[in-house]
Amino acid sequence: ASFVHLHVHTEFSLLDGAIRIRRLQERASGLGMEAVAITDHGNIFGAVQHFQEAKKSGVKPIIGCEVYVAPGSRRERSAPGDGQPTAYHLVLLVMNEEGYRNLNRLVTAGHLEGFYYHPRVDMELLKEYNGGLLALSACLKGMIPHALMRGRLEEARQRAIEFSRIFDKDRFFLEIQANEMPEQVRLNRALEELSAELSLPLVATNDCHYLNREDAEVHDAL
């Protein structure tokens, strides 16, 4: 079975991603991959270039974004307390034209209405503008992973149910990663149990921030 990268940070994840889009497409093509996504933090600045380069490489371009989700209302401008961050991560992937329009709306609202350290959306916006989008539960900084890692299993369960309902039961995926970090290994086990309990599908990603193993040092410098 072919593997498709669905969680990738390019140079447009400012000061965080070290992948240039043209080289991403070339690498995916060289590895025989049929498609590749870009999911930059809080923006879709790379979308046009991703499409243009895909025409040359023949690799299907998937547009996405790792959005920031406010713990409560996007309009709340204060630290939430209770050990909660000011924003959680959530990966959104475009399925069709409706999804692209909705992702534009979400990213725009995040900047104009929800900006507090990051351009944030909230559950209210996700309920309104989820059509044509797939959602992945993201990395350790996702809402469900954050609750699981703190032993708040019922909270994680309720959040998973909520996301599943918002994304029509079949457009929400629990995201596991094979990065060998001890916390991630623990999280993967918890996500597998949650997946079995709630009949939610799992998806494997790699949260890429650079292309090749030897680029790690360059990424650290960035």
Side-chain angles (χ1 to χ4, degrees), residues 12-75:
F12 291 106
S13 287
L14 304 179
L15 300 182
D16 190 29
I19 296 176
R20 297 197 182 277
I21 289 175
R22 180 175 56 80
R23 291 187 59 214
L24 169 67
Q25 293 279 352
E26 289 170 354
R27 183 90 171 111
S29 177
L31 290 168
M33 293 179 170
E34 295 172 11
V36 67
I38 60 169
T39 56
D40 286 308
H41 285 300
N43 75 72
I44 48 175
F45 299 152
V48 172
Q49 188 183 348
H50 192 42
F51 257 83
Q52 289 171 339
E53 294 297 339
K55 286 181 182 174
K56 301 174 196 171
S57 71
V59 176
K60 179 183 176 181
I62 300 170
I63 292 174
C65 180
E66 187 165 23
V67 297
Y68 298 99
V69 183
S73 168
R74 65 188 181 278
R75 295 186 171 88

Short mmCIF file of all heavy atoms in Angstrom, two decimals, residues 12-75:
data_model
loop_
_atom_site.label_atom_id
_atom_site.label_comp_id
_atom_site.label_asym_id
_atom_site.label_seq_id
_atom_site.Cartn_x
_atom_site.Cartn_y
_atom_site.Cartn_z
N PHE A 12 6.52 27.95 4.90
CA PHE A 12 5.46 28.89 5.27
C PHE A 12 4.97 28.68 6.72
O PHE A 12 4.16 29.47 7.21
CB PHE A 12 4.29 28.79 4.29
CG PHE A 12 4.65 29.32 2.92
CD1 PHE A 12 4.86 28.45 1.87
CD2 PHE A 12 4.80 30.67 2.70
CE1 PHE A 12 5.21 28.92 0.62
CE2 PHE A 12 5.14 31.16 1.45
CZ PHE A 12 5.35 30.29 0.40
N SER A 13 5.46 27.62 7.38
CA SER A 13 5.30 27.53 8.84
C SER A 13 6.47 28.31 9.41
O SER A 13 7.52 27.75 9.73
CB SER A 13 5.32 26.07 9.31
OG SER A 13 4.14 25.41 8.96
N LEU A 14 6.31 29.61 9.51
CA LEU A 14 7.43 30.52 9.71
C LEU A 14 8.24 30.18 10.96
O LEU A 14 7.68 29.95 12.04
CB LEU A 14 6.92 31.97 9.78
CG LEU A 14 6.09 32.41 8.55
CD1 LEU A 14 5.62 33.84 8.71
CD2 LEU A 14 6.90 32.26 7.28
N LEU A 15 9.56 30.12 10.78
CA LEU A 15 10.52 29.80 11.84
C LEU A 15 10.30 28.39 12.42
O LEU A 15 10.77 28.09 13.51
CB LEU A 15 10.47 30.84 12.98
CG LEU A 15 10.78 32.28 12.57
CD1 LEU A 15 10.74 33.19 13.79
CD2 LEU A 15 12.14 32.38 11.89
N ASP A 16 9.60 27.55 11.70
CA ASP A 16 9.34 26.21 12.20
C ASP A 16 9.56 25.14 11.12
O ASP A 16 10.13 24.09 11.39
CB ASP A 16 7.92 26.12 12.76
CG ASP A 16 7.67 24.82 13.51
OD1 ASP A 16 8.64 24.28 14.06
OD2 ASP A 16 6.54 24.36 13.54
N GLY A 17 9.09 25.40 9.90
CA GLY A 17 9.26 24.43 8.83
C GLY A 17 10.45 24.78 7.95
O GLY A 17 10.72 25.96 7.71
N ALA A 18 11.17 23.75 7.47
CA ALA A 18 12.34 24.00 6.63
C ALA A 18 12.22 23.26 5.30
O ALA A 18 13.22 22.88 4.70
CB ALA A 18 13.61 23.57 7.38
N ILE A 19 11.00 23.04 4.84
CA ILE A 19 10.79 22.32 3.58
C ILE A 19 10.37 23.31 2.49
O ILE A 19 9.39 24.03 2.65
CB ILE A 19 9.70 21.23 3.74
CG1 ILE A 19 10.15 20.16 4.74
CG2 ILE A 19 9.37 20.58 2.39
CD1 ILE A 19 9.09 19.10 5.03
N ARG A 20 11.11 23.32 1.40
CA ARG A 20 10.72 24.14 0.25
C ARG A 20 9.78 23.31 -0.63
O ARG A 20 10.02 22.12 -0.87
CB ARG A 20 11.94 24.61 -0.54
CG ARG A 20 12.85 25.50 0.29
CD ARG A 20 13.82 26.29 -0.56
NE ARG A 20 14.70 27.09 0.26
CZ ARG A 20 14.40 28.29 0.75
NH1 ARG A 20 13.22 28.81 0.52
NH2 ARG A 20 15.27 28.97 1.48
N ILE A 21 8.72 23.92 -1.11
CA ILE A 21 7.64 23.18 -1.77
C ILE A 21 8.12 22.45 -3.02
O ILE A 21 7.75 21.29 -3.26
CB ILE A 21 6.45 24.11 -2.05
CG1 ILE A 21 5.76 24.46 -0.72
CG2 ILE A 21 5.44 23.44 -3.01
CD1 ILE A 21 4.65 25.47 -0.83
N ARG A 22 8.96 23.10 -3.81
CA ARG A 22 9.44 22.44 -5.04
C ARG A 22 10.19 21.16 -4.68
O ARG A 22 9.99 20.10 -5.29
CB ARG A 22 10.34 23.38 -5.83
CG ARG A 22 10.88 22.76 -7.13
CD ARG A 22 11.67 23.76 -7.97
NE ARG A 22 12.76 24.35 -7.19
CZ ARG A 22 13.93 23.74 -6.96
NH1 ARG A 22 14.15 22.50 -7.43
NH2 ARG A 22 14.87 24.35 -6.28
N ARG A 23 11.05 21.23 -3.66
CA ARG A 23 11.82 20.05 -3.27
C ARG A 23 10.93 18.99 -2.63
O ARG A 23 11.18 17.79 -2.76
CB ARG A 23 12.95 20.47 -2.31
CG ARG A 23 14.05 21.29 -3.02
CD ARG A 23 15.22 21.55 -2.10
NE ARG A 23 15.81 20.31 -1.63
CZ ARG A 23 16.35 20.16 -0.42
NH1 ARG A 23 16.36 21.15 0.43
NH2 ARG A 23 16.88 19.00 -0.06
N LEU A 24 9.87 19.43 -1.96
CA LEU A 24 8.89 18.48 -1.40
C LEU A 24 8.27 17.64 -2.52
O LEU A 24 8.18 16.41 -2.42
CB LEU A 24 7.80 19.25 -0.65
CG LEU A 24 6.55 18.46 -0.22
CD1 LEU A 24 6.89 17.41 0.83
CD2 LEU A 24 5.47 19.40 0.28
N GLN A 25 7.82 18.33 -3.57
CA GLN A 25 7.20 17.63 -4.71
C GLN A 25 8.20 16.68 -5.38
O GLN A 25 7.86 15.55 -5.73
CB GLN A 25 6.69 18.65 -5.72
CG GLN A 25 5.54 19.50 -5.24
CD GLN A 25 4.21 18.79 -5.35
OE1 GLN A 25 4.12 17.72 -5.93
NE2 GLN A 25 3.17 19.39 -4.80
N GLU A 26 9.42 17.14 -5.56
CA GLU A 26 10.45 16.30 -6.20
C GLU A 26 10.72 15.05 -5.36
O GLU A 26 10.86 13.94 -5.89
CB GLU A 26 11.75 17.10 -6.38
CG GLU A 26 11.66 18.19 -7.45
CD GLU A 26 12.86 19.12 -7.43
OE1 GLU A 26 13.70 19.00 -6.51
OE2 GLU A 26 12.95 19.99 -8.32
N ARG A 27 10.78 15.24 -4.04
CA ARG A 27 11.06 14.11 -3.14
C ARG A 27 9.91 13.11 -3.16
O ARG A 27 10.12 11.90 -3.23
CB ARG A 27 11.27 14.64 -1.71
CG ARG A 27 11.64 13.58 -0.70
CD ARG A 27 13.14 13.42 -0.60
NE ARG A 27 13.49 12.55 0.52
CZ ARG A 27 14.00 11.34 0.40
NH1 ARG A 27 14.21 10.81 -0.79
NH2 ARG A 27 14.32 10.62 1.46
N ALA A 28 8.68 13.62 -3.09
CA ALA A 28 7.51 12.73 -3.12
C ALA A 28 7.46 11.95 -4.43
O ALA A 28 7.18 10.75 -4.44
CB ALA A 28 6.23 13.54 -2.93
N SER A 29 7.74 12.64 -5.52
CA SER A 29 7.75 11.99 -6.84
C SER A 29 8.84 10.93 -6.91
O SER A 29 8.61 9.81 -7.37
CB SER A 29 7.96 13.05 -7.94
OG SER A 29 8.03 12.43 -9.20
N GLY A 30 10.03 11.27 -6.41
CA GLY A 30 11.15 10.33 -6.43
C GLY A 30 10.89 9.08 -5.61
O GLY A 30 11.41 8.00 -5.91
N LEU A 31 10.06 9.21 -4.58
CA LEU A 31 9.72 8.06 -3.73
C LEU A 31 8.49 7.31 -4.25
O LEU A 31 8.03 6.35 -3.63
CB LEU A 31 9.45 8.54 -2.29
CG LEU A 31 10.67 9.04 -1.51
CD1 LEU A 31 10.26 9.74 -0.24
CD2 LEU A 31 11.63 7.90 -1.21
N GLY A 32 7.96 7.78 -5.39
CA GLY A 32 6.80 7.10 -6.00
C GLY A 32 5.50 7.35 -5.27
O GLY A 32 4.56 6.55 -5.38
N MET A 33 5.42 8.44 -4.52
CA MET A 33 4.18 8.75 -3.79
C MET A 33 3.16 9.38 -4.72
O MET A 33 3.51 10.19 -5.58
CB MET A 33 4.49 9.69 -2.61
CG MET A 33 5.34 9.03 -1.55
SD MET A 33 5.72 10.13 -0.17
CE MET A 33 6.43 8.95 0.99
N GLU A 34 1.89 9.01 -4.53
CA GLU A 34 0.84 9.48 -5.43
C GLU A 34 0.37 10.88 -5.09
O GLU A 34 -0.16 11.60 -5.94
CB GLU A 34 -0.35 8.52 -5.38
CG GLU A 34 -0.01 7.13 -5.91
CD GLU A 34 -1.14 6.14 -5.66
OE1 GLU A 34 -2.24 6.58 -5.28
OE2 GLU A 34 -0.91 4.94 -5.86
N ALA A 35 0.51 11.27 -3.82
CA ALA A 35 0.00 12.56 -3.37
C ALA A 35 0.83 13.03 -2.18
O ALA A 35 1.55 12.25 -1.55
CB ALA A 35 -1.48 12.43 -2.96
N VAL A 36 0.72 14.33 -1.88
CA VAL A 36 1.37 14.88 -0.70
C VAL A 36 0.62 16.12 -0.24
O VAL A 36 0.11 16.89 -1.06
CB VAL A 36 2.87 15.20 -0.96
CG1 VAL A 36 3.04 16.34 -1.95
CG2 VAL A 36 3.60 15.49 0.34
N ALA A 37 0.49 16.28 1.07
CA ALA A 37 -0.24 17.43 1.63
C ALA A 37 0.73 18.46 2.17
O ALA A 37 1.87 18.14 2.51
CB ALA A 37 -1.16 16.97 2.75
N ILE A 38 0.28 19.72 2.23
CA ILE A 38 0.97 20.72 3.04
C ILE A 38 -0.01 21.20 4.11
O ILE A 38 -1.18 21.44 3.83
CB ILE A 38 1.51 21.90 2.20
CG1 ILE A 38 0.39 22.65 1.47
CG2 ILE A 38 2.58 21.44 1.23
CD1 ILE A 38 0.84 23.97 0.85
N THR A 39 0.49 21.30 5.34
CA THR A 39 -0.38 21.67 6.47
C THR A 39 0.37 22.67 7.35
O THR A 39 0.79 22.34 8.47
CB THR A 39 -0.77 20.43 7.30
OG1 THR A 39 0.43 19.75 7.73
CG2 THR A 39 -1.63 19.47 6.50
N ASP A 40 0.56 23.86 6.85
CA ASP A 40 1.32 24.86 7.60
C ASP A 40 0.51 25.42 8.76
O ASP A 40 -0.72 25.39 8.77
CB ASP A 40 1.79 25.98 6.66
CG ASP A 40 2.92 25.50 5.77
OD1 ASP A 40 3.91 24.98 6.31
OD2 ASP A 40 2.82 25.62 4.53
N HIS A 41 1.23 25.97 9.74
CA HIS A 41 0.60 26.50 10.95
C HIS A 41 -0.21 27.75 10.66
O HIS A 41 0.33 28.80 10.29
CB HIS A 41 1.67 26.86 11.99
CG HIS A 41 2.28 25.69 12.67
ND1 HIS A 41 1.55 24.79 13.41
CD2 HIS A 41 3.56 25.27 12.72
CE1 HIS A 41 2.36 23.87 13.90
NE2 HIS A 41 3.58 24.12 13.50
N GLY A 42 -1.55 27.64 10.78
CA GLY A 42 -2.40 28.82 10.75
C GLY A 42 -2.52 29.55 9.44
O GLY A 42 -3.10 30.63 9.38
N ASN A 43 -1.96 28.99 8.34
CA ASN A 43 -2.05 29.69 7.05
C ASN A 43 -2.04 28.71 5.89
O ASN A 43 -1.66 27.55 6.05
CB ASN A 43 -0.92 30.71 6.89
CG ASN A 43 0.42 30.07 6.59
OD1 ASN A 43 0.65 29.57 5.50
ND2 ASN A 43 1.33 30.07 7.56
N ILE A 44 -2.45 29.20 4.72
CA ILE A 44 -2.37 28.41 3.48
C ILE A 44 -1.62 29.21 2.42
O ILE A 44 -1.96 29.17 1.24
CB ILE A 44 -3.77 27.95 2.99
CG1 ILE A 44 -4.78 29.10 2.97
CG2 ILE A 44 -4.30 26.82 3.84
CD1 ILE A 44 -6.13 28.73 2.37
N PHE A 45 -0.58 29.92 2.86
CA PHE A 45 0.21 30.75 1.95
C PHE A 45 0.84 29.94 0.81
O PHE A 45 1.09 30.46 -0.27
CB PHE A 45 1.32 31.48 2.70
CG PHE A 45 0.82 32.41 3.78
CD1 PHE A 45 1.61 32.69 4.88
CD2 PHE A 45 -0.43 33.02 3.70
CE1 PHE A 45 1.17 33.55 5.89
CE2 PHE A 45 -0.88 33.87 4.70
CZ PHE A 45 -0.08 34.15 5.79
N GLY A 46 1.10 28.65 1.06
CA GLY A 46 1.80 27.84 0.06
C GLY A 46 0.89 27.16 -0.95
O GLY A 46 1.38 26.44 -1.83
N ALA A 47 -0.42 27.38 -0.86
CA ALA A 47 -1.37 26.61 -1.67
C ALA A 47 -1.14 26.75 -3.17
O ALA A 47 -1.11 25.76 -3.92
CB ALA A 47 -2.80 27.01 -1.32
N VAL A 48 -0.97 27.98 -3.64
CA VAL A 48 -0.82 28.21 -5.09
C VAL A 48 0.47 27.56 -5.60
O VAL A 48 0.47 26.84 -6.61
CB VAL A 48 -0.84 29.72 -5.40
CG1 VAL A 48 -0.49 29.96 -6.87
CG2 VAL A 48 -2.21 30.32 -5.09
N GLN A 49 1.56 27.78 -4.89
CA GLN A 49 2.84 27.18 -5.30
C GLN A 49 2.76 25.66 -5.26
O GLN A 49 3.32 24.97 -6.13
CB GLN A 49 3.96 27.68 -4.39
CG GLN A 49 5.35 27.26 -4.88
CD GLN A 49 6.45 27.70 -3.94
OE1 GLN A 49 6.23 28.51 -3.02
NE2 GLN A 49 7.65 27.19 -4.15
N HIS A 50 2.06 25.12 -4.27
CA HIS A 50 1.89 23.66 -4.14
C HIS A 50 1.21 23.11 -5.40
O HIS A 50 1.62 22.08 -5.94
CB HIS A 50 1.04 23.39 -2.90
CG HIS A 50 1.00 21.96 -2.46
ND1 HIS A 50 2.11 21.14 -2.45
CD2 HIS A 50 -0.03 21.19 -1.99
CE1 HIS A 50 1.77 19.94 -2.01
NE2 HIS A 50 0.47 19.95 -1.72
N PHE A 51 0.18 23.79 -5.88
CA PHE A 51 -0.52 23.37 -7.10
C PHE A 51 0.36 23.51 -8.32
O PHE A 51 0.40 22.63 -9.19
CB PHE A 51 -1.82 24.18 -7.28
CG PHE A 51 -3.04 23.40 -6.89
CD1 PHE A 51 -3.44 23.31 -5.56
CD2 PHE A 51 -3.79 22.72 -7.84
CE1 PHE A 51 -4.55 22.58 -5.19
CE2 PHE A 51 -4.90 21.98 -7.49
CZ PHE A 51 -5.30 21.91 -6.15
N GLN A 52 1.07 24.62 -8.42
CA GLN A 52 1.92 24.86 -9.58
C GLN A 52 3.03 23.82 -9.69
O GLN A 52 3.29 23.29 -10.77
CB GLN A 52 2.52 26.28 -9.50
CG GLN A 52 1.50 27.37 -9.74
CD GLN A 52 2.05 28.75 -9.44
OE1 GLN A 52 3.03 28.91 -8.70
NE2 GLN A 52 1.41 29.78 -9.99
N GLU A 53 3.68 23.53 -8.59
CA GLU A 53 4.76 22.54 -8.60
C GLU A 53 4.22 21.13 -8.83
O GLU A 53 4.89 20.29 -9.42
CB GLU A 53 5.54 22.59 -7.28
CG GLU A 53 6.31 23.88 -7.04
CD GLU A 53 7.41 24.12 -8.07
OE1 GLU A 53 7.85 23.15 -8.72
OE2 GLU A 53 7.81 25.30 -8.22
N ALA A 54 3.00 20.87 -8.38
CA ALA A 54 2.39 19.55 -8.56
C ALA A 54 2.17 19.24 -10.03
O ALA A 54 2.27 18.10 -10.47
CB ALA A 54 1.08 19.46 -7.80
N LYS A 55 1.87 20.28 -10.81
CA LYS A 55 1.69 20.08 -12.25
C LYS A 55 2.97 19.55 -12.90
O LYS A 55 2.93 18.76 -13.83
CB LYS A 55 1.27 21.39 -12.92
CG LYS A 55 -0.17 21.79 -12.65
CD LYS A 55 -0.52 23.09 -13.35
CE LYS A 55 -1.95 23.51 -13.05
NZ LYS A 55 -2.26 24.85 -13.61
N LYS A 56 4.12 20.00 -12.39
CA LYS A 56 5.41 19.56 -12.95
C LYS A 56 5.76 18.16 -12.45
O LYS A 56 6.30 17.34 -13.19
CB LYS A 56 6.51 20.54 -12.54
CG LYS A 56 6.29 21.98 -12.98
CD LYS A 56 7.37 22.88 -12.38
CE LYS A 56 6.96 24.34 -12.46
NZ LYS A 56 7.87 25.22 -11.70
N SER A 57 5.46 17.88 -11.19
CA SER A 57 5.91 16.62 -10.59
C SER A 57 4.95 15.45 -10.87
O SER A 57 5.34 14.30 -10.83
CB SER A 57 6.05 16.78 -9.08
OG SER A 57 4.77 16.89 -8.47
N GLY A 58 3.67 15.78 -11.10
CA GLY A 58 2.68 14.73 -11.30
C GLY A 58 2.16 14.13 -10.00
O GLY A 58 1.42 13.16 -10.00
N VAL A 59 2.58 14.72 -8.86
CA VAL A 59 2.11 14.25 -7.55
C VAL A 59 0.87 15.06 -7.17
O VAL A 59 0.87 16.28 -7.22
CB VAL A 59 3.20 14.44 -6.47
CG1 VAL A 59 2.68 14.04 -5.10
CG2 VAL A 59 4.44 13.62 -6.82
N LYS A 60 -0.20 14.37 -6.78
CA LYS A 60 -1.44 15.07 -6.44
C LYS A 60 -1.24 15.98 -5.24
O LYS A 60 -0.79 15.52 -4.18
CB LYS A 60 -2.54 14.05 -6.14
CG LYS A 60 -3.87 14.69 -5.76
CD LYS A 60 -4.91 13.63 -5.40
CE LYS A 60 -6.20 14.27 -4.92
NZ LYS A 60 -7.21 13.27 -4.56
N PRO A 61 -1.58 17.27 -5.36
CA PRO A 61 -1.41 18.18 -4.22
C PRO A 61 -2.64 18.17 -3.32
O PRO A 61 -3.77 18.30 -3.77
CB PRO A 61 -1.26 19.55 -4.90
CG PRO A 61 -2.10 19.43 -6.15
CD PRO A 61 -2.05 17.97 -6.58
N ILE A 62 -2.42 18.01 -2.03
CA ILE A 62 -3.49 18.12 -1.04
C ILE A 62 -3.24 19.38 -0.23
O ILE A 62 -2.16 19.56 0.32
CB ILE A 62 -3.54 16.89 -0.11
CG1 ILE A 62 -3.76 15.61 -0.92
CG2 ILE A 62 -4.64 17.05 0.95
CD1 ILE A 62 -3.58 14.33 -0.11
N ILE A 63 -4.23 20.27 -0.20
CA ILE A 63 -4.09 21.50 0.57
C ILE A 63 -4.66 21.29 1.96
O ILE A 63 -5.74 20.72 2.12
CB ILE A 63 -4.82 22.67 -0.13
CG1 ILE A 63 -4.11 23.01 -1.43
CG2 ILE A 63 -4.88 23.90 0.77
CD1 ILE A 63 -4.82 24.05 -2.25
N GLY A 64 -3.92 21.74 2.94
CA GLY A 64 -4.39 21.61 4.31
C GLY A 64 -3.81 22.70 5.18
O GLY A 64 -3.10 23.59 4.71
N CYS A 65 -4.11 22.62 6.46
CA CYS A 65 -3.61 23.61 7.40
C CYS A 65 -3.67 23.00 8.80
O CYS A 65 -4.63 22.32 9.15
CB CYS A 65 -4.48 24.87 7.35
SG CYS A 65 -3.96 26.17 8.49
N GLU A 66 -2.61 23.21 9.58
CA GLU A 66 -2.68 22.86 10.99
C GLU A 66 -3.15 24.12 11.72
O GLU A 66 -2.37 25.03 11.97
CB GLU A 66 -1.33 22.39 11.54
CG GLU A 66 -1.45 21.87 12.96
CD GLU A 66 -0.25 21.05 13.42
OE1 GLU A 66 0.85 21.21 12.87
OE2 GLU A 66 -0.42 20.26 14.36
N VAL A 67 -4.46 24.15 11.96
CA VAL A 67 -5.04 25.35 12.56
C VAL A 67 -4.85 25.32 14.07
O VAL A 67 -4.61 24.27 14.67
CB VAL A 67 -6.56 25.49 12.23
CG1 VAL A 67 -6.76 25.66 10.73
CG2 VAL A 67 -7.36 24.32 12.77
N TYR A 68 -4.95 26.48 14.67
CA TYR A 68 -4.93 26.63 16.12
C TYR A 68 -6.37 26.74 16.61
O TYR A 68 -7.13 27.55 16.07
CB TYR A 68 -4.17 27.88 16.53
CG TYR A 68 -2.71 27.89 16.15
CD1 TYR A 68 -2.26 28.56 15.01
CD2 TYR A 68 -1.75 27.24 16.94
CE1 TYR A 68 -0.92 28.59 14.66
CE2 TYR A 68 -0.40 27.26 16.59
CZ TYR A 68 0.01 27.94 15.45
OH TYR A 68 1.34 27.96 15.12
N VAL A 69 -6.74 25.93 17.58
CA VAL A 69 -8.11 25.94 18.12
C VAL A 69 -8.09 26.50 19.54
O VAL A 69 -7.38 25.99 20.40
CB VAL A 69 -8.72 24.52 18.13
CG1 VAL A 69 -10.17 24.56 18.62
CG2 VAL A 69 -8.64 23.88 16.74
N ALA A 70 -8.87 27.55 19.77
CA ALA A 70 -8.96 28.15 21.10
C ALA A 70 -9.61 27.16 22.06
O ALA A 70 -10.50 26.40 21.67
CB ALA A 70 -9.77 29.44 21.04
N PRO A 71 -9.19 27.13 23.34
CA PRO A 71 -9.82 26.22 24.31
C PRO A 71 -11.28 26.55 24.57
O PRO A 71 -12.07 25.68 24.92
CB PRO A 71 -8.98 26.41 25.57
CG PRO A 71 -8.22 27.67 25.38
CD PRO A 71 -8.07 27.89 23.92
N GLY A 72 -11.65 27.82 24.39
CA GLY A 72 -13.05 28.24 24.53
C GLY A 72 -13.43 29.05 23.30
O GLY A 72 -13.29 28.59 22.17
N SER A 73 -13.88 30.27 23.52
CA SER A 73 -14.23 31.16 22.41
C SER A 73 -12.97 31.76 21.80
O SER A 73 -12.02 32.11 22.52
CB SER A 73 -15.14 32.29 22.90
OG SER A 73 -15.25 33.29 21.90
N ARG A 74 -12.96 31.89 20.48
CA ARG A 74 -11.83 32.52 19.80
C ARG A 74 -11.67 33.98 20.20
O ARG A 74 -10.61 34.57 20.03
CB ARG A 74 -12.00 32.41 18.28
CG ARG A 74 -13.20 33.18 17.72
CD ARG A 74 -13.44 32.88 16.25
NE ARG A 74 -14.55 33.61 15.66
CZ ARG A 74 -15.82 33.25 15.75
NH1 ARG A 74 -16.15 32.17 16.45
NH2 ARG A 74 -16.77 33.96 15.16
N ARG A 75 -12.73 34.57 20.72
CA ARG A 75 -12.70 35.99 21.08
C ARG A 75 -12.15 36.24 22.49
O ARG A 75 -11.91 37.38 22.87
CB ARG A 75 -14.10 36.60 20.96
CG ARG A 75 -14.61 36.61 19.50
CD ARG A 75 -15.94 37.34 19.36
NE ARG A 75 -16.29 37.51 17.97
CZ ARG A 75 -16.98 36.63 17.25
NH1 ARG A 75 -17.37 35.50 17.83
NH2 ARG A 75 -17.26 36.85 15.98
#
